[in-house]
Amino acid sequence: MRRTDRPRFGRRLPVLAASLTALSAFALGFGPAGAQDPATTRAAGPVTWRADLTAGSGDEVNLIRAGGSLRLRDGRLRPASVRAGRAQGTTVLPARVLDQAVNRIAVDLDATSPADTRTAVDVRGRDGLGRWTEWREARDGQPAALPRAVTEVQVRLTLVGTPAGATPEIRGLALSAELGAPAADAGAAGAAASAAATPFSARVFATREGLVGGTTANGHVIVANDHFVALPSRRGLSPKGSAQYSVRVCGPARCETAPVWDVGPWNTHDDHWNPSSVRETFKDLPQGKPEAQAAYENGYHGGLDEFGRRVLNPAGIDLADGTFYNVGLNNNGWVTVTYLWTGEATTRSFPTWGTGVNIRKQATSASTQVAQLSGPTTVRVQCQVHGQLVQVDGHSNDAWSYLPDYGGYISNIYIDVPEAWLPGVPNC
């Protein structure tokens, strides 16, 4: 129903307005209206915590703990695909469930990095539909901006040593997360995802990784006839044993879906599947063109990769032996790759009405409040479900809509359209 068919707090007498506000508070757990612009109203205050580095997560490679600090265990162990001369170790910390939606994560890292060594803090989030975002690096003074709001946050720590064996040391990590206006690249990612109802695909040059007995960037030990791929960015790297980030590779004979378990070839910061504005590096290249391909074919970046090595082939993906031969390759060659995690359902925008409208983690007023709209605004709706029946001033509705920008659900009774079930919006 439209707003004219529903109670309008601002046009009632004060006593009646107060009465209706109280009724809404009973139905949805409303709080007082905020003073911020509706589009930027957020749950109060950032969430802060300290990462526990003292215990192993069960998902790590080449690290040792001493006095609560993290260091590289073996100065010779390095990811297989990229073939760089630097040792690397990683750990994926347990995910942290939050009581409010967030999209910006700041870090305060206590670490020592000798010359030519490096540490990296990557974060990702899982939203109310159970989908993980890509990993994004957070640096001191430069928070990671996720492409959508999430209510669960996970951290991955990476330590990179020198060819001579020097290692960085991480002693502590504090984090702060909040729901704020999207950064420029996060907004571009959201817009691109909203426009793409299907995952992004590109034709790229594939090489055979081989290297049986080697160790991938996520700690998997490569076996004969293995099935996985390597991509030249940590942003789409699956935790060990998982297929959370997978690609569909189509070669001359057939297609195969395989998880991303390694980082490479050539580069480690080239998420070429992302739009140029969102891409971590080499932003002047078009979406779908790996830096190695541009360097090999056009002399881009002086014909060198990010390590300064001369690029000898245009590879944008490495295939484990089993995947390589299964798709019909006998020699390195061109394949079509679909980056399965990049697809998003198309969203539709709708106006809202009411003040102090709570957004919930689930489709019920008993669920945690993750954000709040202080007043009428426009929201993007991704999908809708039947949940708790909400009643306000003689009107009732059990439909709730999922808002990806806020990481939660709003009762459809506060979406300002005639229909109780939103037209053109799919089920969650």
Side-chain angles (χ1 to χ4, degrees):
M1 291 172 289
R2 294 190 185 278
R3 185 189 309 179
T4 52
D5 300 320
R6 296 171 171 166
R8 291 176 291 178
F9 299 160
R11 297 188 181 183
R12 301 282 179 159
L13 294 174
V15 173
L16 181 55
S19 173
L20 290 175
T21 302
L23 179 59
S24 297
F26 176 78
L28 290 177
F30 279 12
Q36 295 176 301
D37 181 87
T40 57
T41 299
R42 305 294 186 240
V47 181
T48 60
W49 71 97
R50 294 193 66 83
D52 182 7
L53 305 181
T54 61
S57 66
D59 188 3
E60 62 186 50
V61 57
N62 197 30
L63 293 179
I64 189 172
R65 287 173 172 75
S69 296
L70 296 177
R71 297 170 59 87
L72 292 174
R73 180 186 297 275
D74 185 346
R76 298 164 297 177
L77 188 64
R78 52 193 58 93
S81 177
V82 75
R83 295 170 171 82
R86 296 175 177 271
Q88 179 177 302
T90 62
T91 181
V92 179
L93 303 181
R96 187 176 185 91
V97 178
L98 308 179
D99 61 1
Q100 66 186 59
V102 301
N103 62 3
R104 296 176 66 84
I105 296 95
V107 300
D108 183 6
L109 182 66
D110 180 10
T112 300
S113 298
D116 295 327
T117 68
R118 184 173 182 267
T119 60
V121 182
D122 297 316
V123 297
R124 65 174 182 168
R126 184 153 54 185
D127 63 19
L129 299 179
R131 307 165 307 160
W132 286 107
T133 69
E134 280 189 339
W135 296 97
R136 289 290 187 268
E137 185 172 354
R139 301 180 177 90
D140 287 341
Q142 186 178 342
L146 301 181
R148 57 183 180 269
V150 301
T151 54
E152 189 172 344
V153 173
Q154 191 162 41
V155 175
R156 181 179 64 202
L157 301 175
T158 301
L159 290 76
V160 181
T162 68
T167 176
E169 178 182 3
I170 295 179
R171 292 179 294 273
L173 174 66
L175 300 103
S176 176
E178 62 184 340
L179 186 62
D185 70 334
S194 297
T198 58
F200 177 74
S201 295
R203 185 171 179 266
V204 298
F205 192 78
T207 48
R208 183 176 70 88
E209 179 158 345
L211 303 175
V212 172
T215 302
T216 66
N218 73 353
H220 170 72
V221 177
I222 302 172
V223 299
N225 198 40
D226 221 335
H227 290 260
F228 68 86
V229 306
L231 293 177
S233 168
R234 296 195 313 269
R235 286 185 165 184
L237 179 65
S238 292
K240 184 179 178 181
S242 84
Q244 292 169 1
Y245 305 96
S246 293
V247 296
R248 184 167 176 79
V249 183
C250 294
R254 62 187 61 85
C255 299
E256 176 181 315
T257 298
V260 183
W261 282 356
D262 207 357
V263 177
W266 296 113
N267 294 301
T268 62
H269 297 84
D270 183 24
D271 50 323
H272 55 256
W273 53 88
N274 278 324
S276 300
S277 59
V278 180
R279 200 164 169 160
E280 184 177 10
T281 55
F282 312 118
K283 291 178 177 290
D284 53 340
L285 291 177
Q287 183 180 15
K289 189 163 192 176
E291 188 276 344
Q293 180 182 342
Y296 181 79
E297 294 177 343
N298 310 115
Y300 178 84
H301 197 237
L304 308 176
D305 69 2
E306 69 177 68
F307 300 101
R309 301 176 299 185
R310 178 67 54 184
V311 175
L312 303 178
N313 61 52
I317 189 171
D318 255 352
L319 307 182
D321 287 358
T323 302
F324 185 87
Y325 294 117
N326 184 45
V327 300
L329 292 176
N330 291 311
N331 295 299
N332 298 335
W334 295 92
V335 295
T336 299
V337 180
T338 302
Y339 307 85
L340 297 175
W341 67 92
T342 61
E344 297 281 357
T346 302
T347 61
R348 293 195 60 189
S349 296
F350 295 90
T352 69
W353 71 280
T355 58
V357 178
N358 283 341
I359 299 169
R360 300 288 183 175
K361 195 168 187 177
Q362 302 296 334
T364 169
S365 63
S367 182
T368 302
Q369 173 193 335
V370 297
Q372 188 182 83
L373 304 179
S374 64
T377 187
T378 299
V379 294
R380 292 195 310 128
V381 173
Q382 181 167 322
C383 57
Q384 56 190 334
V385 298
H386 291 288
Q388 178 191 355
L389 181 67
V390 174
Q391 296 177 318
V392 175
D393 197 34
H395 300 291
S396 61
N397 195 345
D398 72 345
W400 293 67
S401 289
Y402 184 78
L403 311 183
D405 296 326
Y406 295 89
Y409 294 81
I410 182 177
S411 169
N412 280 13
I413 209 166
Y414 289 97
I415 295 183
D416 199 5
V417 296
E419 300 86 355
W421 187 256
L422 301 183
V425 175
N427 288 66
C428 294

